[in-house]
Amino acid sequence: MVKTTDVLYYAVHVGELRSIIQWQTWHQAVHERRPDQEAPSLTICFEFLDKTSRSFSAVIQELHPELLVPIALFYLILRGLDTIEDDMTISLEEKTPLLRDFHNYVEKEGWNYAGSGPTEKDRELLVQFQNVTEEFRKVKPAYREIIKDITLKMGNGMADFCQNVEHNIDVVNTIKDYDLYCHYVAGLVGNGLTRLFVESGLANPVLLDRPHLQESMGLFLQKTNIIRDIKEDLDDKRRFWPKEIWSKYVNNFEDLCKPENREAALNCSSEMVLNSLNHADQCLFYLAGLKEQSVFNFAAIPQSMAIATLELVFRNPKMFEKNIKITKGEACRIMMQSTQNLKLVCEVFREFTRKIHKKNTPRDPNFLKISIACGKIEQFIETIYPSQDPKSIIQEPAAPIDPTSKEAKDQAAAAESKSDLVYMLIAVFGTLFLISCIMFGVAYAFGARFDVAFSELTRGKLSKPTDAGAAQSIIHKYDRGEL
Amino acid sequence: MATSVLITGGAGFLGSAIVDAVQEQHPEWVVTVLDLAFPSVRKPNIIYKSCDITNSVSLNTLIDSIMPDVIIHSAGLVPELAFRYGREQRDRVFDVNVNGTRNMLAAAKRSGVKAFVWTGSCTAITDDMRHQYRNIDERPSVLFGPGDYQLIPSVHACIAKGETPFVVGDGENLWDVTYVGNIADAHVLAVENLLSTGSAAGEAIFISNEEPIPFRDFCLEVWKNFGHFPAYQVYIPVSLAYVVGYLAEGVTWVTGTPTTLSRGSVFDACGIRYCTGEKARKILGYKPRVGIEEGIRISCIVSLRKFLNPSILP
């Protein structure tokens, strides 16, 4: 449904409207799903995928056929796990074993769970989870092992977290705790996906040797979402911002959203943004290891969205008032740029990094650190795509210039603009000279005594005589030849 | 016998930082400082020798008498910022930096030193020197630190002149400004390397803080340390600044005063000045010890003391 506010927005943001139209008319999926050849249970799985995730569903469905089903099921399994973890109506005694054994349930024929609270939005997925388990049993054993392993680790991490929450309200105390929490909910996903990509032969196996890159892929997304969702999480009594950071700015976590603390809250969010921004260059590095287009798109789109979101929340007071998100038009433009190659993704990163840098202010206590983080991203992009090509600089004088080549044309254009500049300067100074002549001429016609003025100037009298009488006497002296 | 280290330019800004680093990390080494003039407050346990390195005869006599194992050649003439883009001091700069270095190398060869570390500059991009003994050419990027008489004071001076709101270019060009103590550390590492494995011999190594930031942000951080925040920002296009610089050069030429604004300074302020620290990391095991934020803070505190109490200025 189209809202009036949207119509107004896109009436003044024509560029964004253009992006939406272009994305919807020109975007072609790299691979297409074949619903006609799917088992009914798989079709149900994809329906759930659409319902549970708006942003991920589309990119997952365009994945290479080899990974399409494993990754879709991987997503649904983690979503199921997440739904149980989030559900406050399930007691800890029931929840903990569910989370810790979830990796076994996913293979159990006909397993499902109806104990979720009635208002839980993904309750239905668990109620009909037998469709997921049925399909999961058909997945290649190698992929199944990877997914089960991640489910086991994540389930245990979540169970630990839930037990801590039960005993203590501030679970995420230090930045280390924060990183650990993000590791369980997102870093592990990065690890699992990398193993799936490499197992299927669609990514460079070197990625397996770089666990910190996989970790960064997950953490960059998770941390950015945690920053953006501050208001929503606070309203739901969830807190993920580490105490180590927020306690520097406010006394109580709830104070972050109070209007009187806006400046402190903004500075606090800057430190959160900085913490997230430090993962950005490693995400680009990771993306360089993905060869297959659909896998690249799948991994790159969320990263580009994350850097755009980070820019949106950076020093934006609205984040403490309501839930903010990037506009659809901007999302479409980013998706278009992120579904081609790494160079364009780097452009997206550079664009938003510079926007963040523009908003950075010296009054922010994290000013220089943010500046350094932005500089690091720029430097990294420069190392993989140098703006200067050393070969071309060395070869330049030797290579004969082809008059039809782009360089020759550029040179001709440059020479032309240079001569244009010269002509313009001549015109400007010519006009000034002419006007000066006219002014002097008019002054002369009205009887100005330039000869007197000049000789007085050479004698070091720079200021004009104090009154008309003094001026007159000077002229008299001059005319009588007394000087 | 204890290792004997000769540090040229050891009374200067960088040189004295190297002297400190050597004394801190190798108190057993015998340090001789060679410079034109000496500070009023001399450091303990240092031998001071006065010599003009452009005079090869007196230089050779001096080196023969010291017979150092290691030479750290950091003497060099850096014209004051106002003269940097002018021509007045060019011959003298060339004489000290090129002929002086040539004399040092010749003297080093004659006396048979074990290691020679030369402080180059990131502005030198090519290096055509070939030597028989172990030597390193270390190239720091733009330097700052406590006692720096160029960068921080001139950035600070903009506050009084009301120039802080003006940004030449887009303010996005990255500079890797380096804290002087880190460069000094790198020199000690270089000497250690040459005296042991020698894997750095013959290499030109770029040394930096590995924290490239826009030059504009460096200035903003310095001003922030002095409690100044520009009220607004005005962006001046590079081309316009270039024209103004050209005109200013004309004025300079006519009046014969040193320039503050010129095409050269515009070029520097809008230029990109950073390099990769990978080689320094790999070969020397160098890691900047003082971060740029901390470095700026320390330098500004020292400068602030000087501005408040001009009597302690050297």
Side-chain angles (χ1 to χ4, degrees), chain A residues 354 357-358 360-369 371-372 374-376 378-379 382, chain B residues 170-172 174 210-214 217 220-221 224 229 235 274-276 292-293 296:
Chain A
R354 289 210 168 165
H357 178 242
K358 274 260 153 36
N360 198 10
T361 149
R363 289 184 192 272
D364 190 324
N366 303 293
F367 168 70
L368 204 68
K369 290 198 184 81
S371 188
I372 294 168
C374 291
K376 284 222 164 101
E378 291 234 10
Q379 191 181 17
E382 186 67 27
Chain B
D170 59 2
E172 295 284 354
L174 298 179
E210 292 169 47
E211 292 167 310
I213 49 165
D217 292 11
L220 286 170
E221 181 71 14
K224 178 182 178 175
F229 300 94
Y235 290 87
Y274 70 87
C275 49
T276 166
I292 190 161
E293 196 173 16
I296 293 176

mmCIF file of all heavy atoms in Angstrom, chain A residues 354 357-358 360-369 371-372 374-376 378-379 382, chain B residues 170-172 174 210-214 217 220-221 224 229 235 274-276 292-293 296:
data_model
loop_
_atom_site.group_PDB
_atom_site.id
_atom_site.type_symbol
_atom_site.label_atom_id
_atom_site.label_comp_id
_atom_site.label_asym_id
_atom_site.label_seq_id
_atom_site.Cartn_x
_atom_site.Cartn_y
_atom_site.Cartn_z
ATOM 1 N N ARG A 354 32.735 8.572 3.938
ATOM 2 C CA ARG A 354 32.953 10.036 3.840
ATOM 3 C C ARG A 354 31.809 10.809 4.459
ATOM 4 O O ARG A 354 32.022 11.861 5.062
ATOM 5 C CB ARG A 354 33.124 10.421 2.373
ATOM 6 C CG ARG A 354 34.434 9.925 1.843
ATOM 7 C CD ARG A 354 34.989 10.784 0.756
ATOM 8 N NE ARG A 354 36.362 10.384 0.521
ATOM 9 C CZ ARG A 354 37.061 10.723 -0.541
ATOM 10 N NH1 ARG A 354 36.528 11.477 -1.468
ATOM 11 N NH2 ARG A 354 38.309 10.325 -0.676
ATOM 12 N N HIS A 357 32.368 10.775 8.016
ATOM 13 C CA HIS A 357 33.462 11.699 8.326
ATOM 14 C C HIS A 357 32.990 13.148 8.300
ATOM 15 O O HIS A 357 33.392 13.963 9.122
ATOM 16 C CB HIS A 357 34.609 11.475 7.344
ATOM 17 C CG HIS A 357 35.735 12.416 7.558
ATOM 18 N ND1 HIS A 357 36.144 13.307 6.606
ATOM 19 C CD2 HIS A 357 36.489 12.643 8.653
ATOM 20 C CE1 HIS A 357 37.112 14.030 7.107
ATOM 21 N NE2 HIS A 357 37.354 13.647 8.333
ATOM 22 N N LYS A 358 32.108 13.470 7.369
ATOM 23 C CA LYS A 358 31.574 14.837 7.260
ATOM 24 C C LYS A 358 30.778 15.220 8.503
ATOM 25 O O LYS A 358 30.799 16.375 8.930
ATOM 26 C CB LYS A 358 30.687 14.965 6.017
ATOM 27 C CG LYS A 358 31.446 15.307 4.744
ATOM 28 C CD LYS A 358 31.345 16.802 4.421
ATOM 29 C CE LYS A 358 32.501 17.348 3.618
ATOM 30 N NZ LYS A 358 33.129 16.554 2.609
ATOM 31 N N ASN A 360 31.290 14.015 11.439
ATOM 32 C CA ASN A 360 32.138 13.938 12.628
ATOM 33 C C ASN A 360 32.490 15.357 13.101
ATOM 34 O O ASN A 360 32.767 16.225 12.290
ATOM 35 C CB ASN A 360 33.414 13.180 12.255
ATOM 36 C CG ASN A 360 34.162 12.667 13.449
ATOM 37 O OD1 ASN A 360 33.657 12.710 14.566
ATOM 38 N ND2 ASN A 360 35.366 12.186 13.222
ATOM 39 N N THR A 361 32.437 15.579 14.399
ATOM 40 C CA THR A 361 32.723 16.919 14.912
ATOM 41 C C THR A 361 33.761 16.861 16.021
ATOM 42 O O THR A 361 33.751 15.925 16.828
ATOM 43 C CB THR A 361 31.435 17.613 15.420
ATOM 44 O OG1 THR A 361 31.795 18.488 16.483
ATOM 45 C CG2 THR A 361 30.432 16.620 15.958
ATOM 46 N N PRO A 362 34.659 17.842 16.064
ATOM 47 C CA PRO A 362 35.712 17.812 17.089
ATOM 48 C C PRO A 362 35.185 17.840 18.518
ATOM 49 O O PRO A 362 35.901 17.491 19.449
ATOM 50 C CB PRO A 362 36.555 19.052 16.787
ATOM 51 C CG PRO A 362 35.809 19.845 15.785
ATOM 52 C CD PRO A 362 34.840 18.944 15.121
ATOM 53 N N ARG A 363 33.936 18.237 18.691
ATOM 54 C CA ARG A 363 33.381 18.257 20.051
ATOM 55 C C ARG A 363 33.048 16.854 20.557
ATOM 56 O O ARG A 363 32.803 16.657 21.739
ATOM 57 C CB ARG A 363 32.125 19.120 20.100
ATOM 58 C CG ARG A 363 32.458 20.594 19.961
ATOM 59 C CD ARG A 363 31.219 21.465 20.115
ATOM 60 N NE ARG A 363 31.513 22.820 19.700
ATOM 61 C CZ ARG A 363 31.995 23.754 20.518
ATOM 62 N NH1 ARG A 363 32.228 23.472 21.765
ATOM 63 N NH2 ARG A 363 32.237 24.966 20.060
ATOM 64 N N ASP A 364 32.995 15.927 19.643
ATOM 65 C CA ASP A 364 32.743 14.528 19.995
ATOM 66 C C ASP A 364 34.009 13.952 20.635
ATOM 67 O O ASP A 364 35.089 14.074 20.074
ATOM 68 C CB ASP A 364 32.400 13.781 18.692
ATOM 69 C CG ASP A 364 31.884 12.384 18.950
ATOM 70 O OD1 ASP A 364 32.371 11.745 19.887
ATOM 71 O OD2 ASP A 364 31.002 11.951 18.197
ATOM 72 N N PRO A 365 33.891 13.334 21.815
ATOM 73 C CA PRO A 365 35.110 12.793 22.432
ATOM 74 C C PRO A 365 35.802 11.724 21.574
ATOM 75 O O PRO A 365 36.987 11.461 21.756
ATOM 76 C CB PRO A 365 34.624 12.195 23.755
ATOM 77 C CG PRO A 365 33.175 12.409 23.833
ATOM 78 C CD PRO A 365 32.699 13.176 22.656
ATOM 79 N N ASN A 366 35.063 11.104 20.665
ATOM 80 C CA ASN A 366 35.660 10.056 19.832
ATOM 81 C C ASN A 366 36.081 10.576 18.470
ATOM 82 O O ASN A 366 36.319 9.783 17.542
ATOM 83 C CB ASN A 366 34.670 8.914 19.658
ATOM 84 C CG ASN A 366 34.230 8.359 20.985
ATOM 85 O OD1 ASN A 366 35.030 7.771 21.691
ATOM 86 N ND2 ASN A 366 32.983 8.599 21.348
ATOM 87 N N PHE A 367 36.141 11.913 18.354
ATOM 88 C CA PHE A 367 36.409 12.556 17.050
ATOM 89 C C PHE A 367 37.582 11.940 16.296
ATOM 90 O O PHE A 367 37.448 11.467 15.173
ATOM 91 C CB PHE A 367 36.653 14.047 17.278
ATOM 92 C CG PHE A 367 37.211 14.772 16.091
ATOM 93 C CD1 PHE A 367 36.420 14.982 14.969
ATOM 94 C CD2 PHE A 367 38.515 15.237 16.080
ATOM 95 C CE1 PHE A 367 36.931 15.650 13.869
ATOM 96 C CE2 PHE A 367 39.030 15.891 14.982
ATOM 97 C CZ PHE A 367 38.241 16.106 13.877
ATOM 98 N N LEU A 368 38.743 11.934 16.938
ATOM 99 C CA LEU A 368 39.936 11.503 16.203
ATOM 100 C C LEU A 368 39.908 9.997 15.926
ATOM 101 O O LEU A 368 40.339 9.552 14.868
ATOM 102 C CB LEU A 368 41.208 11.875 16.971
ATOM 103 C CG LEU A 368 42.429 11.993 16.063
ATOM 104 C CD1 LEU A 368 42.298 13.174 15.134
ATOM 105 C CD2 LEU A 368 43.711 12.082 16.855
ATOM 106 N N LYS A 369 39.385 9.229 16.861
ATOM 107 C CA LYS A 369 39.324 7.773 16.661
ATOM 108 C C LYS A 369 38.422 7.436 15.483
ATOM 109 O O LYS A 369 38.717 6.538 14.687
ATOM 110 C CB LYS A 369 38.823 7.089 17.933
ATOM 111 C CG LYS A 369 39.815 7.148 19.062
ATOM 112 C CD LYS A 369 39.490 6.112 20.128
ATOM 113 C CE LYS A 369 40.427 6.234 21.301
ATOM 114 N NZ LYS A 369 40.042 7.313 22.239
ATOM 115 N N SER A 371 37.821 9.441 13.010
ATOM 116 C CA SER A 371 38.569 9.906 11.843
ATOM 117 C C SER A 371 39.587 8.851 11.395
ATOM 118 O O SER A 371 39.738 8.578 10.204
ATOM 119 C CB SER A 371 39.270 11.207 12.212
ATOM 120 O OG SER A 371 39.850 11.775 11.096
ATOM 121 N N ILE A 372 40.265 8.247 12.372
ATOM 122 C CA ILE A 372 41.254 7.209 12.044
ATOM 123 C C ILE A 372 40.550 5.995 11.438
ATOM 124 O O ILE A 372 41.017 5.432 10.436
ATOM 125 C CB ILE A 372 42.056 6.801 13.303
ATOM 126 C CG1 ILE A 372 42.911 7.968 13.789
ATOM 127 C CG2 ILE A 372 42.940 5.589 13.027
ATOM 128 C CD1 ILE A 372 43.517 7.784 15.177
ATOM 129 N N CYS A 374 37.773 5.908 9.766
ATOM 130 C CA CYS A 374 37.387 6.257 8.391
ATOM 131 C C CYS A 374 38.618 6.212 7.488
ATOM 132 O O CYS A 374 38.556 5.703 6.360
ATOM 133 C CB CYS A 374 36.762 7.648 8.340
ATOM 134 S SG CYS A 374 35.161 7.753 9.136
ATOM 135 N N GLY A 375 39.731 6.746 7.994
ATOM 136 C CA GLY A 375 40.972 6.756 7.212
ATOM 137 C C GLY A 375 41.427 5.344 6.876
ATOM 138 O O GLY A 375 41.893 5.075 5.777
ATOM 139 N N LYS A 376 41.253 4.430 7.833
ATOM 140 C CA LYS A 376 41.668 3.038 7.613
ATOM 141 C C LYS A 376 40.857 2.416 6.483
ATOM 142 O O LYS A 376 41.400 1.670 5.663
ATOM 143 C CB LYS A 376 41.482 2.230 8.895
ATOM 144 C CG LYS A 376 42.566 2.504 9.927
ATOM 145 C CD LYS A 376 43.036 1.223 10.604
ATOM 146 C CE LYS A 376 44.341 1.456 11.324
ATOM 147 N NZ LYS A 376 44.191 1.646 12.769
ATOM 148 N N GLU A 378 39.361 4.006 4.000
ATOM 149 C CA GLU A 378 39.808 4.617 2.745
ATOM 150 C C GLU A 378 41.135 4.028 2.299
ATOM 151 O O GLU A 378 41.349 3.738 1.126
ATOM 152 C CB GLU A 378 39.965 6.131 2.922
ATOM 153 C CG GLU A 378 38.647 6.826 3.098
ATOM 154 C CD GLU A 378 38.458 7.968 2.102
ATOM 155 O OE1 GLU A 378 39.270 8.090 1.172
ATOM 156 O OE2 GLU A 378 37.493 8.707 2.283
ATOM 157 N N GLN A 379 42.044 3.866 3.254
ATOM 158 C CA GLN A 379 43.364 3.347 2.930
ATOM 159 C C GLN A 379 43.249 1.920 2.406
ATOM 160 O O GLN A 379 43.925 1.540 1.455
ATOM 161 C CB GLN A 379 44.259 3.381 4.174
ATOM 162 C CG GLN A 379 45.717 3.119 3.859
ATOM 163 C CD GLN A 379 46.600 3.124 5.098
ATOM 164 O OE1 GLN A 379 46.116 3.023 6.212
ATOM 165 N NE2 GLN A 379 47.884 3.230 4.904
ATOM 166 N N GLU A 382 42.021 1.947 -1.062
ATOM 167 C CA GLU A 382 43.093 2.424 -1.935
ATOM 168 C C GLU A 382 44.110 1.315 -2.213
ATOM 169 O O GLU A 382 44.659 1.242 -3.307
ATOM 170 C CB GLU A 382 43.771 3.637 -1.284
ATOM 171 C CG GLU A 382 44.822 4.343 -2.120
ATOM 172 C CD GLU A 382 44.282 5.039 -3.352
ATOM 173 O OE1 GLU A 382 43.106 5.443 -3.360
ATOM 174 O OE2 GLU A 382 45.052 5.168 -4.327
ATOM 175 N N ASP B 170 38.506 19.456 -0.185
ATOM 176 C CA ASP B 170 37.329 18.839 0.425
ATOM 177 C C ASP B 170 37.587 18.396 1.869
ATOM 178 O O ASP B 170 36.693 17.905 2.534
ATOM 179 C CB ASP B 170 36.833 17.656 -0.422
ATOM 180 C CG ASP B 170 37.891 16.583 -0.591
ATOM 181 O OD1 ASP B 170 38.993 16.745 -0.026
ATOM 182 O OD2 ASP B 170 37.630 15.592 -1.281
ATOM 183 N N GLY B 171 38.830 18.572 2.347
ATOM 184 C CA GLY B 171 39.136 18.157 3.715
ATOM 185 C C GLY B 171 39.116 16.655 3.887
ATOM 186 O O GLY B 171 38.874 16.166 4.980
ATOM 187 N N GLU B 172 39.334 15.901 2.800
ATOM 188 C CA GLU B 172 39.298 14.440 2.887
ATOM 189 C C GLU B 172 40.666 13.820 2.636
ATOM 190 O O GLU B 172 40.825 12.614 2.709
ATOM 191 C CB GLU B 172 38.318 13.866 1.846
ATOM 192 C CG GLU B 172 36.867 14.245 2.058
ATOM 193 C CD GLU B 172 36.213 13.471 3.195
ATOM 194 O OE1 GLU B 172 36.850 12.562 3.742
ATOM 195 O OE2 GLU B 172 35.067 13.792 3.517
ATOM 196 N N LEU B 174 44.152 12.347 3.083
ATOM 197 C CA LEU B 174 44.716 11.700 4.261
ATOM 198 C C LEU B 174 46.197 12.011 4.432
ATOM 199 O O LEU B 174 46.958 12.001 3.473
ATOM 200 C CB LEU B 174 44.546 10.183 4.151
ATOM 201 C CG LEU B 174 43.117 9.669 4.086
ATOM 202 C CD1 LEU B 174 43.121 8.159 3.943
ATOM 203 C CD2 LEU B 174 42.341 10.069 5.308
ATOM 204 N N GLU B 210 50.770 4.875 11.064
ATOM 205 C CA GLU B 210 49.775 3.939 10.519
ATOM 206 C C GLU B 210 48.358 4.308 10.926
ATOM 207 O O GLU B 210 47.515 3.448 11.121
ATOM 208 C CB GLU B 210 50.104 2.501 10.919
ATOM 209 C CG GLU B 210 51.373 2.006 10.243
ATOM 210 C CD GLU B 210 51.872 0.702 10.823
ATOM 211 O OE1 GLU B 210 51.050 -0.193 10.989
ATOM 212 O OE2 GLU B 210 53.070 0.603 11.093
ATOM 213 N N GLU B 211 48.129 5.596 11.085
ATOM 214 C CA GLU B 211 46.782 6.064 11.400
ATOM 215 C C GLU B 211 46.457 7.244 10.490
ATOM 216 O O GLU B 211 46.381 8.373 10.955
ATOM 217 C CB GLU B 211 46.685 6.513 12.863
ATOM 218 C CG GLU B 211 46.803 5.406 13.860
ATOM 219 C CD GLU B 211 47.028 5.926 15.270
ATOM 220 O OE1 GLU B 211 47.912 6.770 15.481
ATOM 221 O OE2 GLU B 211 46.317 5.471 16.160
ATOM 222 N N PRO B 212 46.319 7.013 9.205
ATOM 223 C CA PRO B 212 46.092 8.155 8.325
ATOM 224 C C PRO B 212 44.765 8.846 8.632
ATOM 225 O O PRO B 212 43.744 8.190 8.782
ATOM 226 C CB PRO B 212 46.076 7.537 6.924
ATOM 227 C CG PRO B 212 45.795 6.093 7.124
ATOM 228 C CD PRO B 212 46.318 5.737 8.480
ATOM 229 N N ILE B 213 44.837 10.163 8.767
ATOM 230 C CA ILE B 213 43.619 10.948 8.990
ATOM 231 C C ILE B 213 43.682 12.154 8.066
ATOM 232 O O ILE B 213 44.766 12.560 7.662
ATOM 233 C CB ILE B 213 43.485 11.436 10.446
ATOM 234 C CG1 ILE B 213 44.808 12.080 10.908
ATOM 235 C CG2 ILE B 213 43.063 10.338 11.361
ATOM 236 C CD1 ILE B 213 44.659 12.898 12.159
ATOM 237 N N PRO B 214 42.533 12.729 7.748
ATOM 238 C CA PRO B 214 42.584 13.954 6.946
ATOM 239 C C PRO B 214 43.385 15.029 7.699
ATOM 240 O O PRO B 214 43.271 15.132 8.923
ATOM 241 C CB PRO B 214 41.128 14.352 6.811
ATOM 242 C CG PRO B 214 40.375 13.090 6.994
ATOM 243 C CD PRO B 214 41.167 12.289 7.987
ATOM 244 N N ASP B 217 41.498 17.121 10.024
ATOM 245 C CA ASP B 217 41.150 16.563 11.321
ATOM 246 C C ASP B 217 42.314 16.675 12.301
ATOM 247 O O ASP B 217 42.095 16.841 13.502
ATOM 248 C CB ASP B 217 40.729 15.097 11.180
ATOM 249 C CG ASP B 217 39.424 14.961 10.427
ATOM 250 O OD1 ASP B 217 38.984 15.975 9.861
ATOM 251 O OD2 ASP B 217 38.849 13.872 10.397
ATOM 252 N N LEU B 220 41.994 20.110 13.545
ATOM 253 C CA LEU B 220 40.847 20.240 14.450
ATOM 254 C C LEU B 220 41.178 19.651 15.826
ATOM 255 O O LEU B 220 40.798 20.208 16.850
ATOM 256 C CB LEU B 220 39.621 19.518 13.856
ATOM 257 C CG LEU B 220 38.942 20.219 12.683
ATOM 258 C CD1 LEU B 220 37.921 19.303 12.025
ATOM 259 C CD2 LEU B 220 38.249 21.499 13.123
ATOM 260 N N GLU B 221 41.902 18.531 15.824
ATOM 261 C CA GLU B 221 42.251 17.890 17.086
ATOM 262 C C GLU B 221 43.237 18.760 17.882
ATOM 263 O O GLU B 221 43.116 18.876 19.095
ATOM 264 C CB GLU B 221 42.827 16.499 16.815
ATOM 265 C CG GLU B 221 43.207 15.708 18.053
ATOM 266 C CD GLU B 221 42.011 15.219 18.878
ATOM 267 O OE1 GLU B 221 40.877 15.251 18.362
ATOM 268 O OE2 GLU B 221 42.223 14.810 20.034
ATOM 269 N N LYS B 224 41.303 21.582 19.256
ATOM 270 C CA LYS B 224 40.476 21.075 20.343
ATOM 271 C C LYS B 224 41.293 21.013 21.640
ATOM 272 O O LYS B 224 40.801 21.359 22.711
ATOM 273 C CB LYS B 224 39.981 19.688 19.962
ATOM 274 C CG LYS B 224 39.142 18.986 20.996
ATOM 275 C CD LYS B 224 38.777 17.611 20.459
ATOM 276 C CE LYS B 224 37.972 16.821 21.458
ATOM 277 N NZ LYS B 224 37.538 15.545 20.868
ATOM 278 N N PHE B 229 37.186 25.558 18.974
ATOM 279 C CA PHE B 229 36.385 24.854 17.981
ATOM 280 C C PHE B 229 35.922 25.856 16.937
ATOM 281 O O PHE B 229 35.295 26.851 17.286
ATOM 282 C CB PHE B 229 35.151 24.215 18.628
ATOM 283 C CG PHE B 229 35.485 23.214 19.691
ATOM 284 C CD1 PHE B 229 35.538 23.591 21.021
ATOM 285 C CD2 PHE B 229 35.743 21.895 19.357
ATOM 286 C CE1 PHE B 229 35.859 22.676 22.010
ATOM 287 C CE2 PHE B 229 36.058 20.971 20.338
ATOM 288 C CZ PHE B 229 36.114 21.366 21.663
ATOM 289 N N TYR B 235 34.481 25.959 2.798
ATOM 290 C CA TYR B 235 35.310 25.149 1.910
ATOM 291 C C TYR B 235 35.791 25.979 0.729
ATOM 292 O O TYR B 235 34.985 26.587 0.027
ATOM 293 C CB TYR B 235 34.536 23.930 1.416
ATOM 294 C CG TYR B 235 34.310 22.933 2.520
ATOM 295 C CD1 TYR B 235 33.207 23.040 3.365
ATOM 296 C CD2 TYR B 235 35.222 21.916 2.747
ATOM 297 C CE1 TYR B 235 33.016 22.138 4.407
ATOM 298 C CE2 TYR B 235 35.047 21.007 3.781
ATOM 299 C CZ TYR B 235 33.938 21.124 4.604
ATOM 300 O OH TYR B 235 33.758 20.240 5.633
ATOM 301 N N TYR B 274 50.369 9.530 2.842
ATOM 302 C CA TYR B 274 50.474 8.391 3.742
ATOM 303 C C TYR B 274 51.126 7.236 3.009
ATOM 304 O O TYR B 274 51.218 7.225 1.791
ATOM 305 C CB TYR B 274 49.121 7.993 4.332
ATOM 306 C CG TYR B 274 48.128 7.382 3.389
ATOM 307 C CD1 TYR B 274 48.127 6.017 3.144
ATOM 308 C CD2 TYR B 274 47.163 8.153 2.754
ATOM 309 C CE1 TYR B 274 47.198 5.455 2.302
ATOM 310 C CE2 TYR B 274 46.231 7.594 1.907
ATOM 311 C CZ TYR B 274 46.245 6.241 1.685
ATOM 312 O OH TYR B 274 45.338 5.681 0.845
ATOM 313 N N CYS B 275 51.616 6.300 3.773
ATOM 314 C CA CYS B 275 52.316 5.197 3.163
ATOM 315 C C CYS B 275 51.993 3.936 3.950
ATOM 316 O O CYS B 275 51.374 3.989 4.992
ATOM 317 C CB CYS B 275 53.803 5.470 3.177
ATOM 318 S SG CYS B 275 54.392 5.994 4.782
ATOM 319 N N THR B 276 52.416 2.817 3.441
ATOM 320 C CA THR B 276 52.114 1.583 4.148
ATOM 321 C C THR B 276 53.216 1.281 5.156
ATOM 322 O O THR B 276 54.396 1.480 4.879
ATOM 323 C CB THR B 276 51.921 0.422 3.177
ATOM 324 O OG1 THR B 276 51.952 -0.789 3.935
ATOM 325 C CG2 THR B 276 53.015 0.362 2.120
ATOM 326 N N ILE B 292 48.269 8.442 17.690
ATOM 327 C CA ILE B 292 48.269 9.841 17.260
ATOM 328 C C ILE B 292 47.495 10.726 18.237
ATOM 329 O O ILE B 292 47.893 11.863 18.524
ATOM 330 C CB ILE B 292 47.734 9.953 15.826
ATOM 331 C CG1 ILE B 292 47.956 11.360 15.300
ATOM 332 C CG2 ILE B 292 46.294 9.585 15.697
ATOM 333 C CD1 ILE B 292 47.898 11.433 13.814
ATOM 334 N N GLU B 293 46.401 10.192 18.788
ATOM 335 C CA GLU B 293 45.584 10.991 19.703
ATOM 336 C C GLU B 293 46.403 11.366 20.941
ATOM 337 O O GLU B 293 46.450 12.519 21.350
ATOM 338 C CB GLU B 293 44.344 10.188 20.088
ATOM 339 C CG GLU B 293 43.259 11.033 20.702
ATOM 340 C CD GLU B 293 41.978 10.258 20.909
ATOM 341 O OE1 GLU B 293 41.997 9.013 20.875
ATOM 342 O OE2 GLU B 293 40.944 10.916 21.131
ATOM 343 N N ILE B 296 49.238 13.808 20.026
ATOM 344 C CA ILE B 296 48.792 15.201 19.901
ATOM 345 C C ILE B 296 48.592 15.803 21.288
ATOM 346 O O ILE B 296 48.991 16.932 21.564
ATOM 347 C CB ILE B 296 47.490 15.298 19.067
ATOM 348 C CG1 ILE B 296 47.759 14.905 17.610
ATOM 349 C CG2 ILE B 296 46.897 16.705 19.129
ATOM 350 C CD1 ILE B 296 46.542 14.875 16.726
#
